[in-house]
Amino acid sequence: MLTSTRKRLNVLPSEAVVKGISQDGGLFIFENAEDFVFDKSFLKLDYLGLAERVLSFVFDDFDINDIRRIISNAYSNDNF
């Protein structure tokens, strides 16, 4: 969940991406960013695995299969 820096409006991460900025003019920030902890398991991940891990934390309202599809499409050989 994200909140606004001004009036602390709560929105889902997917809503924040669509809105870009809060309707009160504030910025969206994470309520619980401290919950995300990098540990040694991250060292074993390739770039796509790391992207999946981070994005699945940030966009917790997305299905993991959708996140994998989005990452796969974004970093496909056709795009590079």
Side-chain angles (χ1 to χ4, degrees):
M1 185 69 65
L2 294 137
T3 62
S4 168
T5 54
R6 292 204 176 155
K7 293 185 181 175
R8 302 195 53 85
L9 301 172
N10 295 329
V11 297
L12 295 171
S14 57
E15 293 174 307
V17 168
V18 172
K19 291 180 185 226
I21 194 164
S22 177
Q23 62 250 29
D24 65 7
L27 301 174
F28 290 116
I29 58 172
F30 292 100
E31 283 184 325
N32 297 313
E34 68 276 357
D35 292 344
F36 190 75
V37 177
F38 286 96
D39 58 25
K40 290 184 180 185
S41 68
F42 281 84
L43 298 173
K44 299 176 183 175
L45 297 173
D46 62 3
Y47 186 81
L48 299 180
L50 182 62
E52 179 184 320
R53 192 92 166 262
V54 171
L55 291 176
S56 65
F57 176 81
V58 173
F59 295 103
D60 58 356
D61 57 328
F62 275 73
D63 179 72
I64 189 65
N65 292 320
D66 290 334
I67 290 174
R68 288 178 180 145
R69 181 182 45 76
I70 291 166
I71 292 169
S72 177
N73 289 340
Y75 294 103
S76 71
N77 289 334
D78 294 338
N79 291 329
F80 293 94

